[in-house]
Amino acid sequence: MTTLTASFAGRTVLRVGYGALQLERLHARRDEAVELLRRAVELGVDHVDTAEFYGFGFANDVIRETLRPEDGVLVVTKVGADPNPGGRLPLRLAQRPEQLRASVEDNLRSLGVDRLPVVNLRRLDTGPGLRPEGDQVVELDDQLAVMTALRDEGKIGAIGLSSINLDGLRRALPAGIACVQNAYSLVSREDEDMLQLCAAEGIAWVPFFPLGGAFPGLPKVTEEPVVHAVAESLGVAPSQVGLAWLLHHAPNVLLIPGTADAAHLEANLAAGKITFDAATLATLDAIESRSNELPIG
């Protein structure tokens, strides 16, 4: 049996939250986006993950309109990339200290708050996706210096890290780290040592791609025959098995699955109540872990 709540940035939150990236799919139906987020709060969600570059500010705008102080929702945002409308990619890296500060200001403005409870520094040292080049290759210590300054100024409450490697996390620990967001799932457990370090240090582990890679060529939890067999035996969806495994695997895991669909939202939250017996858990644990780096070529 897993506990349904965990500690995060001095708060106790439900272990299954909501990632706001998919809200942009409702860009043309703003009322539906607001309704979906309200439904999440009604279902108990008190941890929402967002970024200024989600839908070029649309996600933050919906959060600002929908969430009220009395909802008690911990809103976590991230810096290290900015919106890039019209570009080849919808975002551009923004790793330099002055860009991190500007990104914090952008999030404060779009969310309509004077303090961001948690801000993740998206480093891009590991995992699938972009890597910094040129003037975007910045020392971690320089980035942490501006993040801690922003915390001292009261503009952010706590610092998180994203796409960080184990050495970087160890170097960052003295700065006080609230969470780590790395790509991690049942089929891609390369960061196991980092997860365990976070557990020992009381740091929340908030995996993105919790069901495997969203890019072609990366392993996916829902393509595993064992996962399908377990799902069938329990009468749940394979995706729910993948989410539930993460919650069983370590007590500091928090999930932020995203969706633009209310039924899918309810299914994601229901994964928090799925239990596995020892034999089932051992069967899932035995699934091979594969790389979540994008194949070259």
Side-chain angles (χ1 to χ4, degrees):
M1 183 69 183
T2 59
T3 55
L4 298 179
T5 60
S7 177
F8 182 20
R11 293 265 305 272
T12 297
V13 298
L14 194 70
R15 292 182 68 196
V16 184
Y18 177 72
L21 174 63
Q22 299 297 332
L23 282 177
E24 64 181 294
R25 288 166 51 195
L26 299 172
H27 205 289
R29 307 193 300 279
R30 185 189 180 90
D31 289 350
E32 288 183 36
V34 170
E35 188 178 328
L36 181 70
L37 193 54
R38 282 285 353 140
R39 181 62 180 147
V41 175
E42 289 168 5
L43 292 169
V45 166
D46 54 7
H47 166 207
V48 170
D49 183 87
T50 187
E52 177 67 16
F53 53 83
Y54 287 177
F56 307 136
F58 179 74
N60 278 8
D61 206 29
V62 170
I63 289 168
R64 177 179 184 166
E65 177 180 338
T66 308
L67 298 184
R68 302 182 290 261
E70 58 267 29
D71 293 325
V73 176
L74 181 71
V75 176
V76 178
T77 188
K78 59 186 69 68
V79 295
D82 285 336
N84 186 30
R88 186 176 64 85
L89 293 172
L91 55 78
R92 59 178 175 80
L93 297 189
Q95 295 277 305
R96 297 197 308 274
E98 68 274 15
Q99 293 174 312
L100 299 178
R101 178 174 283 277
S103 297
V104 164
E105 297 289 352
D106 288 342
N107 278 282
L108 287 166
R109 202 160 33 244
S110 60
L111 288 167
V113 296
D114 53 18
R115 181 175 175 271
L116 303 168
V118 184
V119 178
N120 286 311
L121 165 60
R122 184 172 177 165
R123 271 286 296 181
L124 305 171
D125 292 327
T126 184
L130 296 169
R131 290 290 183 271
E133 298 177 345
D135 68 354
Q136 290 299 306
V137 179
V138 182
E139 285 292 328
L140 175 60
D141 290 349
D142 294 337
Q143 295 176 318
L144 288 172
V146 71
M147 296 297 286
T148 53
L150 287 160
R151 187 177 59 191
D152 292 344
E153 293 164 23
K155 293 189 174 182
I156 68 179
I159 299 167
L161 296 170
S162 178
S163 298
I164 190 81
N165 57 31
L166 184 57
D167 177 64
L169 174 59
R170 285 178 174 142
R171 285 168 49 203
L173 288 177
I177 302 301
C179 64
V180 170
Q181 282 191 7
N182 273 24
Y184 181 89
S185 70
L186 173 57
V187 293
S188 295
R189 307 188 296 274
E190 293 176 298
D191 285 340
E192 190 65 33
D193 288 349
M194 210 178 325
L195 187 162
Q196 298 304 328
L197 175 59
C198 285
E201 295 285 341
I203 297 170
W205 182 261
V206 191
F208 63 85
F209 294 168
L211 296 175
F215 299 111
L218 296 181
K220 293 177 175 57
V221 172
T222 53
E223 294 177 355
E224 290 292 321
V226 170
V227 170
H228 278 265
V230 169
E232 188 173 345
S233 72
L234 295 176
V236 299
S239 59
Q240 290 177 302
V241 171
L243 295 177
W245 177 85
L246 287 162
L247 296 173
H248 280 75
H249 186 61
N252 61 320
V253 171
L254 298 175
L255 300 182
I256 47 169
T259 181
D261 177 79
H264 192 200
L265 171 70
E266 293 184 20
N268 288 339
L269 289 166
K273 298 177 181 176
I274 293 172
T275 59
F276 301 130
D277 59 30
T280 300
L281 198 53
T283 301
L284 292 170
D285 288 345
I287 290 175
E288 179 189 6
S289 172
R290 280 100 74 197
S291 174
N292 62 22
E293 297 288 346
L294 282 170
I296 302 299

